[in-house]
Amino acid sequence: MVAYGSKASPVAQDPFQQIVEVHWGPRYLAVRIDVNIGVEAGAPLDNSSIIGPALVEPFTFRYAASIDPAGAPSLAAAHVGNSGHWSTVPSGDVEASGLPSLSSVDLGLWQWTVDDGAGIKGPFDQWVASAGIDGPYIEGPGGITFDEGLEPSVALKGQKFLPGAPEWTPYFSNVGQWGTGETDGSPFVPLISEISSQAFSMDGLSVTYKGKTWRPIASKVSNAVGNSEGSLMVLLKREEVSP
């Protein structure tokens, strides 16, 4: 289907007129939003230390002291188009304002571990979907469906020190990794728990692309399972300009 008028393919208006220079253009913009966190690690134990949970081997374990935003949230990818038909545009051509920010979180002493290179899962962020919306639903880039609202959140998760843990457990006979009382077999499986959750509302987001303003109408969180951060895509509609 030809979506515009031209001299070669005019749009008939009535038997005596033809429109030759009309372009309908894309109605939607889809952007992926990234957040990054940094984790401050506390000092490792020393041989004479008596702090920390039992059975911690000196020099191997560190605790997470705080979680801090590592820079402002940013647009990582952008697409323009209509439902089911999208084209990628350079993220540098898209300017966003009104993105929310994350707050720092102070953590209790010896409450959460950080990654020590031996399989311990340090604190990480994970997208949590907003409540669903009523249709119509727009098919987004990659086949996703924008069927969620504008109130996603960011969960901060990590491996927690449990009472009586960590404990050393065998792994491939002569190699050890840290387990807990609930994972005392092998291989080691981190016990991931939620540290905190922060709202990440899209209501205030505004995006400018090619001189036009786009406002958010829906979102989609994908692949936020297990230890994966997942991704957040936001659907925006071009703001109509009154004549």
Side-chain angles (χ1 to χ4, degrees):
M1 175 183 290
V2 177
Y4 56 88
S6 67
K7 293 181 180 179
S9 301
V11 176
Q13 186 177 30
D14 60 41
F16 305 101
Q17 293 182 334
Q18 291 179 328
I19 299 174
V20 298
E21 295 297 338
V22 174
H23 196 293
W24 303 116
R27 297 183 63 196
Y28 300 109
L29 192 67
V31 296
R32 191 179 90 235
I33 297 176
D34 276 359
V35 296
N36 295 290
I37 63 169
V39 179
E40 180 187 353
L45 294 174
D46 59 46
N47 284 318
S48 61
S49 175
I50 58 173
I51 65 171
L55 302 178
V56 175
E57 181 179 334
F59 309 116
T60 61
F61 253 90
R62 289 176 181 266
Y63 65 91
S66 67
I67 300 175
D68 304 291
S74 61
L75 301 187
H79 310 265
V80 66
N82 297 299
S83 185
H85 303 279
W86 297 89
S87 299
T88 301
V89 298
S91 56
D93 292 351
V94 179
E95 183 177 347
S97 62
L99 279 171
S101 58
L102 298 180
S103 301
S104 297
V105 178
D106 291 327
L107 305 177
L109 186 67
W110 293 103
Q111 185 178 8
W112 302 92
T113 68
V114 296
D115 191 343
D116 70 347
I120 303 303
K121 185 66 178 179
F124 64 99
D125 57 279
Q126 186 175 76
W127 290 110
V128 179
S130 177
I133 59 172
D134 296 329
Y137 303 129
I138 302 300
E139 182 182 347
I144 66 171
T145 299
F146 288 105
D147 55 4
E148 298 161 3
L150 300 178
E151 301 293 333
S153 57
V154 178
L156 301 175
K157 297 185 174 184
Q159 161 83 6
K160 193 171 186 177
F161 284 119
L162 301 178
E167 299 169 353
W168 189 258
T169 59
Y171 182 64
F172 295 148
S173 68
N174 62 346
V175 179
Q177 290 198 343
W178 289 102
T180 71
E182 296 183 30
T183 58
D184 55 3
S186 62
F188 170 82
V189 178
L191 293 180
I192 302 301
S193 303
E194 183 172 302
I195 300 171
S196 70
S197 180
Q198 299 188 26
F200 201 85
S201 175
M202 294 289 99
D203 279 342
L205 176 62
S206 176
V207 172
T208 302
Y209 172 64
K210 288 194 171 180
K212 300 184 183 299
T213 301
W214 308 68
R215 302 289 185 183
I217 58 174
S219 70
K220 183 66 176 183
V221 169
S222 304
N223 303 317
V225 294
N227 299 341
S228 173
E229 174 185 345
S231 63
L232 171 67
M233 292 284 290
V234 179
L235 176 68
L236 305 99
K237 186 176 181 180
R238 190 178 63 231
E239 195 172 62
E240 301 296 337
V241 179
S242 300

